[in-house]
Amino acid sequence: MAAIRTPPEDGHQRLSSIRSILKNLVLGSVQVKAHVVSADEREGGLRNLLNFGHSIGHAFEGILTPQILHGECVAIGMVLEAALARHLGILDGDAVSRLAKCLASYGLPTSPKDATVRRRSAGKQCSVDQLFSVMGVDKKNVGKMKRIVLLAGIGRTHEKQASVVSDRDIRVILSSGVLVQPSMSKPFKVSCTPPGSKSISNRALVLAALGEGECRIKNLLHSDDTEVMLNALVKLKGASFAWEDSGKVLVVKGNGGRLEAHGEKLYLGNAGTASRFLTSVATLAASATQDFSILTGNARMKERPIGPLVETLKANGAGVEYLEKEKSLPIRVKAGQGMKGGDINLAATVSSQYVSSLLMCAPYADKDVTLRLIGGKPISQLYIDMTRTMMASFGVHVRRSTTEEHTYHIPRARYTNPKEYAIESDASSATYPLAVAAITGTTCTVPNIGWASLQGDARFAVDVLRPMGCTVEQTRSSTTVTGPAKGSLKPIEEVDMEPMTDAFLTATVLAAVAQSQQGRSTTRIVGIANQREKECNRIEAMHDELARFGVTCRELPDGIEIDGKPYTDLSKPPEGVHCYDDHRVAMSFSVLGTIAPCGTLMRERECVGKTWPGWWDTLRQPFGVQLEGVDLEGRQQASSFGEQGSDKSIFIIGMRGAGKTTTGRLAADILGWQFIDLDAHLEETTGQNIPDIIKESGWDAFRDRELKILEDACKKKPTRHVFACGGGIVEKEEARRLLAEYHQSGGLVILVQRDIEDVMAFLQIDKTRPAYVEDMRGVWDRRKPWYLECSNYQFYSQKMGPTTANQPLHGLDHFLRTITGRRRSLDGLKGKEQSFFVSLTMPDVAAAAPILEEVAVGSDAIELRVDLLQDPERKGKTPSLDFVASQVAILRASSSLPIIFTIRTESQGGRAPDDAHEDIGSLLQLALHMSVEFLDLEISLPEEILHQISQSKRNTKIIASHHDPKNTFSWSNGSWVPHYNKALLYGDIIKLVGVAKSQHDNASLAHFRSWALAAHPSIPIIAINMGVEGQLSRIQNSFLTPVSHPALPFKAAPGQLSAKEIRAALSLHGVIKPKNFYLFGKPVQKSKSPDMHNHLFQTVGLPHKYERFETDDAAALEEVIRRESFGGASVTIPLKLPIMGLLDEIDPAAKIIGAVNTTVVDTSRSSEAFPMHKGKPYLMGYNTDWSGMQLVLTNAGAPTLPSFASTQPPPTEEHKKKSTTAGLVIGGGGTARAAIYGLKQMGYTPIHLLGRSHSKLQTLASSFPQDYNISLITSSEAASAALPPRVAIATIPADKPIDGGMLPLIELLLGRGDEGEKGERVLLEMA
């Protein structure tokens, strides 16, 4: 493995040092395969063993090849097929863990979520349906029945041939979610043995490693936590380990406390027990080749506290240093210092694990230890007693003081390992099968946990289940629970669960369905404050997740109250239960799922692996609970965001004067959400303005109040809100941490920036906030890194002039729809037969703004060539981040087209220096923060940059590109394949650019493109040749071809054509066929539509023709619209209604409006509705009047308002009332119908209708559904009582005067009320 990872030296081939070894491995493998095939010609079992892992492995290989190798896919398949055998009750759970560990030790992946797999496949999703599709053609199958090799033990198959396995069972294993159905097919007595105790397992491993001699540990928990502990102890050279009895016994050979510091980081995942125990263990390590050890973990582990333990160790002479956040991992532990011993004081009110950690390592201190637990009653005393008892089993006796409370005396000694140590089952885990019996009215026995257990949670059955109405029988070594009749559990007025805090989650879900015969059905659980600092804030998690079931809970300072309800009244959580990557949350809610009437979707199914990897298998059998696999990733992959993107609330930060409030109001209008200025909210809640708060209480008090407001906003309004924060919110560390955690968990925090000179000018005149007490530029310089740390997006706010008032609105609209997933540019491009992007070759976008609209016509995206920009402040250098940010902002505000952000280096045909990696990396990160739609990523950049950008791209799509301007590679000999494969790792789109020396090169490229699309049809490819000879390749490339424009200063690459030239060439070759478009109606002779359309066709190079077809007879249209050359038509009076009978399908909007004004040919379908036209193009009818109105209103600043139908949770009536915004339609003709429909789609309610004829208005209003909420304005009284409209659309024809009786009503409606709170009003005059 070392040779594989080592780069070859100059003059040597890769792997030359182990060539003979590799040769022997290959030959040996061939010999083994030959022997097996010849010895087992009839497939009697031996050959079957070689197929183990291949059924599922081949499925992954079919999707992930070539980035993930055959053997790697089979390794994943082996683990999943072993898990399938365990799920079916055929294979012992220990065997699955042993197999996964063995494969991992060879550097092989054991899961499709393995970091290496994710990185090399660029996070490619393998949906269960895709996997099933590949598995469906496996040669081992019998018809539609899938056959898989199942193990009965390591090296032993269940059957001689592959076994038939149902799709349902396979889907459970392959899916990330599981649906627990409320059905138990076997309601009988069950005996269930949970895995070994995590607490005892981890303590036994530490004690045996610190002890002398061998110890055989039985029933050790095989889990993520113990695996982490084992690996860390080996790396610290604390012990050696070996397995016996098919993995049921672990032989530990302790090294007597002689440990050595380890050079690499000890990654502990989210294993809290391991991290706390190993913190003390690491202080005992001596310095050999390394002077320190580093302990780290995942993101959640880095939030969990370890401060009290570290501070105590430091006070006792250990050298421990925090590397990131104070009082949390990662930490650096200095080698060779150890513990001095003597008197040690420790605060033990947060975690008993701190106490156990010190107790177990104390015998190796320089002298005897007296450990005093201070700060009040220690948490979880029973776990401290467990540690003392186990230490005695390993030869060291801890004496509890008889004179001092919470004080222990530990002698200086060395552990002596017992020959054998048996670990009892995990009592916390045992609560789940016992709770299943309790909640379903069945019987369950746990045979190896009774009243003599070391674990506090063993009391759960007696102290919790018995008072809830269960029958409990407990012996010294077993516990049996029989639940009452289903729905008959009783609430407990109050239960102190401090001795068994981990079991409170199980008690909570039982309390959710506990019913009292009289009075309130409330259960109160106390003594569990420490559960806020576990894998997640468990008290909050239970509160929030039970709310999804419709259960009311209240958090207490040290507990939780639950109001029980009948299990038949439980709601179905719409998106399932979020498990917070916490095994105990998942297993607890699975218990509730066995009785919840509608089935319960459990997300993060695999998180139970921390303590009980086979928990779902246990539910299936012996309990007989029906489970269904739910492919959450596949569901997400298949769903289209459309307008259903992220609803997470947005926080806006930045300097005062940068435009946060303005941007926030606009953002709320665009998204239809509620806007809250947190500074204004603070002043409202305190009744004081901010300068007075600071004057009266000081800055620190103000910052504390500001933090509280921010915390409340995060917790109480997590969706569909836009918050503008105060400029100094980042001054407080807790606020920075809160904002950073919010965006790291998928929330949106936007840094609004503006030219600092403009900001300073504004601050000189703003007197509503306290003046800065230091230089404003100094404040900006100090805060800037904090702003960047706290945000995941950046919006550059421009100065608005009289002619550009709506430009920032357009730019913000595109930006917001991209970051929330509502703007999916790539999906739209994939549906086009040809698409283009124009490459801007301008040194400054601002100077070229007047021609941007012209050069973009006919293109589908705009490429910003950052390497061609010239920053006036950095002449001859890479442009600054601020300059490039302003360029992106100008471009976004000037065009609605998606932006392609490109930095081309010199070796790739651009101007950026090849070695400017740091500048390029920063600019690429800026592009992601500004959420450009596409980012061109050169795969020749360092791997570190490629990985960093691909991992943080969010909604930006990556164009992974490689250019060969020196013509090094050939399309015909496979030399481009490695670059294509590398681009697959990082790109949503692949772009490869070579050089053509002859037309043969274009033919070879076309063949390569066909091969690539066949291999990966979902990954678009841009493949072209540069140079004059390569122009044909540009014409033949159909997806996002780079183009130039005559108005640009120069072409971005040699041989580049304009979109007009390419379309003309495609027309000459018959690829684009000329079509005829029409204007139907009468009179139409004076219409300007033909002139406009034909000018546009000519401008973009299309061969089509638009002409008038004047008629008032719909029958005259039938022959025209069914011609092969028919491309579409505009329809005007009097044919808008009659033409509907000639079309194959009418759009729902046109049906409601009652008119079609646009006819479109759908080339993907053929007509079936009319026998005489069968097989001819499919004709669709639309009404575009309403969408045109909507576009104009939106561009003028009118917001699209929220739809409450899909809001989760449902809004209050007060919120609905506050969010209600009225619209007005003036007139009662056909255009008024489109206006009403358009306002409804934009969310306006009520819609006032005002016209000359009362009866005509009534007829019009009654033709719309009731939820349109149309209000007739027929009198001054009605106008005075009506909600003033934010938007009005006038539909009265220009040649007709407004009725005299209508004018006073219009003036009354539009002239009344102050709508400043909701923004400016907009009037659209359709005349």
Side-chain angles (χ1 to χ4, degrees):
M1 296 303 291
I4 290 172
R5 297 188 180 104
T6 303
E9 297 179 2
D10 293 340
H12 292 81
Q13 289 186 330
R14 186 169 178 264
L15 306 180
S16 58
S17 63
I18 59 169
R19 178 168 295 180
S20 61
I21 298 174
L22 290 175
K23 180 181 178 181
N24 291 335
L25 284 172
V26 173
L27 290 175
S29 299
V30 172
Q31 289 171 351
V32 169
K33 182 67 178 279
H35 168 73
V36 169
V37 171
S38 59
D40 190 18
E41 290 186 46
R42 298 180 180 274
E43 297 195 19
L46 186 58
R47 191 189 299 190
N48 193 25
L49 193 59
L50 291 189
N51 287 326
F52 170 58
H54 283 65
S55 296
I56 293 178
H58 280 160
F60 280 102
E61 186 179 6
I63 300 170
L64 299 176
T65 187
Q67 286 72 37
I68 309 303
L69 303 177
H70 167 78
E72 294 172 319
C73 292
V74 170
I76 294 170
M78 291 169 74
V79 174
L80 290 171
E81 289 182 16
L84 179 60
R86 181 189 64 197
H87 183 68
L88 297 172
I90 297 168
L91 183 64
D92 187 89
D94 292 347
V96 183
S97 301
R98 287 178 61 211
L99 176 64
K101 181 181 178 183
C102 177
L103 294 169
S105 68
Y106 283 94
L108 290 168
T110 57
S111 164
K113 295 180 180 179
D114 182 274
T116 301
V117 174
R118 305 292 292 171
R119 179 179 60 80
R120 287 189 5 225
S121 68
K124 186 183 291 185
Q125 296 287 352
C126 298
S127 73
V128 176
D129 287 341
Q130 286 177 299
L131 294 169
F132 269 37
S133 177
V134 180
M135 291 176 70
V137 297
D138 192 303
K139 64 182 181 182
K140 295 189 295 297
N141 293 348
V142 178
K144 292 186 177 181
M145 294 186 295
K146 296 179 178 63
R147 296 176 68 205
I148 294 177
V149 176
L150 300 176
L151 293 187
I154 300 294
R156 181 164 48 90
T157 61
H158 174 56
E159 297 179 310
K160 288 185 176 182
Q161 294 184 335
S163 305
V164 173
V165 184
S166 72
D167 284 0
R168 181 180 186 137
D169 288 324
I170 299 171
R171 189 174 287 274
V172 170
I173 297 302
L174 295 180
S175 299
S176 57
V178 62
L179 183 67
V180 180
Q181 296 286 11
S183 59
M184 291 179 61
S185 59
K186 305 172 184 176
F188 47 71
K189 295 181 179 180
V190 167
S191 179
C192 177
T193 303
S197 162
K198 181 183 75 165
S199 301
I200 299 177
S201 292
N202 277 311
R203 284 166 172 80
L205 288 174
V206 171
L207 293 171
L210 294 178
E212 294 275 13
E214 283 189 353
C215 178
R216 282 168 171 74
I217 300 178
K218 295 182 176 181
N219 197 35
L220 181 79
L221 172 66
H222 288 273
S223 73
D224 300 342
D225 273 27
T226 53
E227 191 65 32
V228 161
M229 180 67 84
L230 279 166
N231 291 336
L233 289 172
V234 168
K235 289 177 179 178
L236 291 170
K237 296 187 177 179
S240 61
F241 301 98
W243 293 98
E244 290 182 352
D245 192 15
S246 299
K248 291 181 171 56
V249 176
L250 177 68
V251 181
V252 182
K253 187 173 182 179
N255 206 18
R258 292 176 288 273
L259 298 91
E260 294 181 9
H262 185 64
E264 298 178 8
K265 291 180 180 178
L266 299 176
Y267 180 76
L268 308 177
N270 196 17
T273 307
S275 68
R276 282 145 184 177
F277 289 1
L278 288 169
T279 295
S280 296
V281 169
T283 67
L284 306 181
S287 175
T289 59
Q290 187 75 19
D291 292 334
F292 55 83
S293 300
I294 293 178
L295 277 62
T296 188
N298 65 11
R300 174 56 187 163
M301 195 66 245
K302 291 181 179 182
E303 297 171 3
R304 298 175 67 179
I306 201 167
L309 175 60
V310 169
E311 298 309 314
T312 298
L313 288 169
K314 287 165 69 174
N316 199 245
V320 188
E321 176 187 357
Y322 301 112
L323 297 182
E324 291 180 13
K325 190 169 69 174
E326 286 286 310
K327 301 180 180 179
S328 297
L329 294 185
I331 57 174
R332 179 189 288 119
V333 182
K334 190 170 178 59
Q337 292 191 331
M339 295 168 56
K340 303 301 181 188
D343 289 352
I344 299 178
N345 295 330
L346 172 68
T349 55
V350 174
S351 174
S352 64
Q353 291 173 1
Y354 302 155
V355 184
S356 294
S357 178
L358 284 172
L359 284 173
M360 289 189 291
C361 293
Y364 293 86
D366 293 345
K367 54 184 177 181
D368 293 350
V369 171
T370 295
L371 177 61
R372 294 183 178 87
L373 308 182
I374 60 175
K377 181 184 177 183
I379 193 76
S380 303
Q381 178 66 46
L382 289 176
Y383 283 99
I384 300 173
D385 296 340
M386 174 197 292
T387 303
R388 291 174 56 214
T389 302
M390 290 184 66
M391 288 173 67
S393 298
F394 283 79
V396 175
H397 296 271
V398 177
R399 184 171 58 86
R400 187 168 185 173
S401 175
T402 57
T403 58
E404 294 182 78
E405 192 177 29
H406 311 314
T407 301
Y408 300 89
H409 302 288
I410 308 100
R412 189 170 184 272
R414 195 171 297 276
Y415 293 116
T416 302
N417 286 339
K419 291 183 178 181
E420 183 177 295
Y421 191 88
I423 293 172
E424 63 184 49
S425 288
D426 186 71
S428 298
S429 295
T431 65
Y432 309 121
L434 296 176
V436 171
I439 204 170
T440 59
T442 58
T443 299
C444 176
T445 297
V446 175
N448 62 345
I449 296 179
W451 56 260
S453 170
L454 295 173
Q455 305 169 76
D457 290 18
R459 295 165 53 175
F460 177 79
V462 173
D463 291 356
V464 177
L465 297 183
R466 184 176 285 164
M468 296 189 84
C470 297
T471 301
V472 176
E473 298 175 23
Q474 193 168 60
T475 69
R476 179 181 179 85
S477 59
S478 71
T479 302
T480 299
V481 169
T482 300
K486 190 184 293 186
S488 302
L489 287 173
K490 297 183 294 187
I492 307 175
E493 185 174 344
E494 181 170 304
V495 55
D496 184 353
M497 296 191 71
E498 188 274 332
M500 44 179 156
T501 55
D502 280 354
F504 102 87
L505 300 92
T506 320
T508 300
V509 296
L510 297 179
V513 294
Q515 290 291 289
S516 174
Q517 298 298 321
Q518 51 189 0
R520 293 176 61 196
S521 297
T522 300
T523 295
R524 181 183 179 92
I525 300 173
V526 297
I528 56 169
N530 71 323
Q531 292 292 304
R532 287 193 170 92
E533 305 293 345
K534 293 290 186 175
E535 281 80 347
C536 66
N537 181 336
R538 287 176 172 169
I539 298 176
E540 181 180 61
M542 298 306 289
H543 173 279
D544 293 349
E545 298 308 308
L546 279 175
R548 299 174 188 268
F549 289 86
V551 176
T552 300
C553 301
R554 289 168 295 279
E555 288 193 44
L556 307 174
D558 72 334
I560 187 170
E561 277 187 348
I562 310 99
D563 293 342
K565 64 190 306 182
Y567 76 90
T568 52
D569 293 346
L570 292 175
S571 304
K572 181 178 181 179
E575 298 299 323
V577 175
H578 175 38
C579 298
Y580 306 86
D581 196 28
D582 189 325
H583 54 130
R584 304 225 178 272
V585 174
M587 289 188 277
S588 296
F589 277 100
S590 71
V591 171
L592 190 60
T594 64
I595 198 173
C598 299
T600 302
L601 171 61
M602 306 299 302
R603 309 179 74 89
E604 306 158 89
R605 175 183 69 85
E606 294 176 349
C607 70
V608 299
K610 189 177 181 72
T611 48
W612 199 340
W615 168 244
W616 306 112
D617 315 327
T618 300
L619 276 182
R620 182 186 182 274
Q621 50 182 336
F623 281 104
V625 175
Q626 292 185 20
L627 305 174
E628 294 179 18
V630 180
D631 182 18
L632 299 173
E633 285 80 5
R635 177 192 289 181
Q636 181 179 355
Q637 186 181 5
S639 68
S640 172
F641 277 93
E643 288 297 315
Q644 303 298 320
S646 170
D647 277 351
K648 285 198 170 185
S649 292
I650 293 174
F651 288 85
I652 297 178
I653 63 174
M655 287 286 283
R656 190 200 319 163
K660 297 190 301 297
T661 301
T662 301
T663 302
R665 289 188 187 281
L666 290 173
D669 275 354
I670 290 167
L671 296 171
W673 294 359
Q674 186 173 350
F675 172 74
I676 297 178
D677 184 316
L678 292 183
D679 274 354
H681 184 57
L682 174 60
E683 291 180 332
E684 181 182 337
T685 55
T686 60
Q688 291 180 287
N689 61 41
I690 289 175
D692 288 345
I693 294 173
I694 295 168
K695 183 177 179 180
E696 180 181 307
S697 306
W699 278 101
D700 288 344
F702 165 66
R703 294 292 180 214
D704 288 341
R705 295 183 188 180
E706 188 179 45
L707 174 63
K708 181 65 169 64
I709 291 286
L710 178 65
E711 289 173 337
D712 287 347
C714 286
K715 186 171 183 179
K716 297 178 181 178
K717 296 179 173 63
T719 60
R720 302 178 72 86
H721 283 76
V722 179
F723 299 99
C725 301
I729 191 73
V730 296
E731 294 283 355
K732 197 169 182 67
E733 182 184 356
E734 292 90 338
R736 295 199 298 272
R737 183 166 65 248
L738 185 62
L739 288 168
E741 289 172 354
Y742 182 75
H743 78 69
Q744 287 164 5
S745 65
L748 305 175
V749 182
I750 301 172
L751 167 60
V752 171
Q753 270 189 278
R754 187 175 167 190
D755 184 273
I756 190 62
E757 300 300 330
D758 291 340
V759 172
M760 292 172 66
F762 172 81
L763 294 179
Q764 297 291 345
I765 58 173
D766 178 24
K767 304 301 180 186
T768 64
R769 294 290 182 265
Y772 285 108
V773 295
E774 57 182 301
D775 171 60
M776 284 181 283
R777 186 175 289 277
V779 174
W780 165 245
D781 290 339
R782 186 182 73 251
R783 289 180 180 174
K784 186 175 182 179
W786 291 340
Y787 286 138
L788 294 173
E789 168 196 340
C790 294
S791 61
N792 51 352
Y793 290 106
Q794 181 177 336
F795 181 77
Y796 197 93
S797 175
Q798 297 182 86
K799 217 173 178 180
M800 287 188 277
T803 61
T804 60
N806 287 324
Q807 281 190 353
L809 176 64
H810 303 330
L812 181 61
D813 180 274
H814 305 154
F815 171 76
L816 288 170
R817 296 192 184 281
T818 301
I819 68 173
T820 58
R822 289 162 167 79
R823 180 177 168 100
R824 293 169 62 89
S825 302
L826 179 56
D827 289 348
L829 291 170
K830 284 182 176 180
K832 305 190 75 160
E833 292 184 11
Q834 282 90 28
S835 57
F836 307 91
F837 69 84
V838 61
S839 302
L840 298 186
T841 54
M842 302 168 173
D844 186 347
V845 176
I851 66 166
L852 279 178
E853 185 175 354
E854 177 188 354
V855 302
V857 171
S859 289
D860 303 281
I862 300 180
E863 180 184 45
L864 179 64
R865 280 289 299 271
V866 178
D867 56 301
L868 301 181
L869 296 176
Q870 296 178 12
D871 184 346
E873 302 296 325
R874 289 172 56 89
K875 292 183 178 179
K877 298 180 180 178
T878 306
S880 69
L881 296 178
D882 288 343
F883 178 75
V884 174
S886 70
Q887 297 286 292
V888 172
I890 295 168
L891 184 56
R892 184 169 257 150
S894 303
S895 173
S896 62
L897 293 180
I899 295 173
I900 300 175
F901 188 99
T902 301
I903 309 171
R904 193 73 62 226
T905 56
E906 291 171 344
S907 64
Q908 297 271 297
R911 293 184 182 175
D914 285 321
D915 59 355
H917 297 152
E918 185 175 347
D919 287 344
I920 292 172
S922 297
L923 287 167
L924 294 175
Q925 284 289 352
L926 171 70
L928 297 182
H929 289 156
M930 299 195 75
S931 197
V932 297
E933 289 81 358
F934 299 98
L935 185 148
D936 187 300
L937 183 64
E938 284 188 7
I939 61 173
S940 59
L941 289 169
E943 292 287 341
E944 182 182 357
I945 293 179
L946 298 178
H947 181 67
Q948 186 180 44
I949 296 301
S950 64
Q951 290 296 306
S952 54
K953 67 176 185 174
R954 295 181 285 270
N955 289 321
T956 294
K957 300 302 179 185
I958 301 294
I959 302 175
S961 68
H962 190 72
H963 293 64
D964 180 27
K966 296 182 179 180
N967 198 24
T968 307
F969 312 117
S970 169
W971 299 105
S972 60
N973 65 7
S975 55
W976 270 105
V977 172
H979 300 284
Y980 175 77
N981 286 339
K982 185 175 181 180
L984 278 173
L985 300 179
Y986 302 104
D988 302 287
I989 302 165
I990 293 173
K991 182 184 180 188
L992 304 176
V993 181
V995 176
K997 295 299 184 183
S998 69
Q999 290 304 307
H1000 175 74
D1001 293 329
N1002 295 324
S1004 298
L1005 183 151
H1007 180 73
F1008 181 94
R1009 185 192 297 115
S1010 298
W1011 166 81
L1013 289 173
H1016 296 278
S1018 63
I1019 307 295
I1021 182 171
I1022 307 166
I1024 56 176
N1025 282 323
M1026 290 186 284
V1028 175
E1029 291 282 359
Q1031 289 181 334
L1032 178 60
S1033 70
R1034 295 177 183 273
I1035 295 169
Q1036 293 174 332
N1037 185 76
S1038 60
F1039 182 83
L1040 274 186
T1041 304
V1043 297
S1044 185
H1045 191 278
L1048 292 170
F1050 59 89
K1051 295 181 178 181
Q1056 202 171 66
L1057 301 169
S1058 69
K1060 180 178 180 179
E1061 290 172 321
I1062 292 177
R1063 288 194 181 97
L1066 291 171
S1067 300
L1068 288 173
H1069 283 80
V1071 177
I1072 298 179
K1073 296 176 174 60
K1075 296 289 183 180
N1076 293 321
F1077 295 82
Y1078 299 92
L1079 171 62
F1080 296 146
K1082 186 176 182 179
V1084 295
Q1085 289 302 317
K1086 293 184 179 181
S1087 171
K1088 300 296 183 183
S1089 290
D1091 295 335
M1092 291 189 295
H1093 282 81
N1094 288 325
H1095 174 73
L1096 181 61
F1097 288 152
Q1098 183 180 9
T1099 299
V1100 300
L1102 289 170
H1104 309 319
K1105 184 178 180 181
Y1106 187 101
E1107 53 190 314
R1108 302 176 185 88
F1109 191 100
E1110 187 167 86
T1111 182
D1112 55 7
D1113 181 10
L1117 306 178
E1118 187 166 9
E1119 187 272 332
V1120 176
I1121 63 178
R1122 294 297 176 176
R1123 293 173 186 169
E1124 286 296 323
S1125 61
F1126 179 69
S1130 307
V1131 184
T1132 187
I1133 56 174
L1135 301 175
K1136 290 186 175 185
L1137 184 61
I1139 198 173
M1140 296 170 75
L1142 303 178
L1143 306 177
D1144 294 289
E1145 185 178 341
I1146 307 300
D1147 178 68
K1151 287 182 179 178
I1152 293 176
I1153 295 170
V1156 164
N1157 70 352
T1158 304
T1159 302
V1160 174
V1161 179
D1162 184 347
T1163 56
S1164 67
R1165 293 188 283 178
S1166 298
S1167 179
E1168 298 290 341
F1170 303 92
M1172 61 189 303
H1173 301 307
K1174 191 170 183 178
K1176 292 185 178 181
Y1178 193 89
L1179 300 180
M1180 287 284 301
Y1182 295 92
N1183 187 295
T1184 59
D1185 284 340
W1186 75 270
S1187 55
M1189 296 175 192
Q1190 186 181 43
L1191 178 64
V1192 173
L1193 289 171
T1194 300
N1195 288 344
T1200 297
L1201 302 168
S1203 169
F1204 294 117
S1206 60
T1207 303
Q1208 291 291 339
T1212 62
E1213 289 302 318
E1214 182 183 2
H1215 184 198
K1216 283 185 180 180
K1217 187 175 180 181
K1218 284 183 178 179
S1219 301
T1220 296
T1221 305
L1224 169 65
V1225 176
I1226 303 171
T1231 307
R1233 296 188 65 87
I1236 292 170
Y1237 184 85
L1239 290 179
K1240 168 66 175 175
Q1241 297 309 301
M1242 293 181 72
Y1244 289 91
T1245 186
I1247 298 172
H1248 303 314
L1249 188 57
L1250 192 157
R1252 183 178 56 184
S1253 168
H1254 179 60
S1255 61
K1256 190 175 180 180
L1257 293 182
Q1258 278 188 320
T1259 302
L1260 177 59
S1262 64
S1263 68
F1264 283 90
Q1266 194 169 5
D1267 66 345
Y1268 274 60
N1269 195 16
I1270 298 174
S1271 163
L1272 300 186
I1273 305 298
T1274 57
S1275 66
S1276 57
E1277 290 78 14
S1280 299
L1283 183 70
R1286 169 78 182 272
V1287 169
I1289 303 176
T1291 67
I1292 298 174
D1295 59 349
K1296 294 182 180 178
I1298 296 178
D1299 184 81
M1302 293 169 57
L1303 278 173
L1305 301 182
I1306 294 172
E1307 291 172 355
L1308 193 58
L1309 271 173
L1310 299 182
R1312 180 174 58 83
D1314 178 16
E1315 288 294 302
E1317 193 66 28
K1318 289 188 177 180
E1320 297 298 321
R1321 297 186 187 189
V1322 180
L1323 169 64
L1324 171 59
E1325 175 56 76
M1326 292 299 293

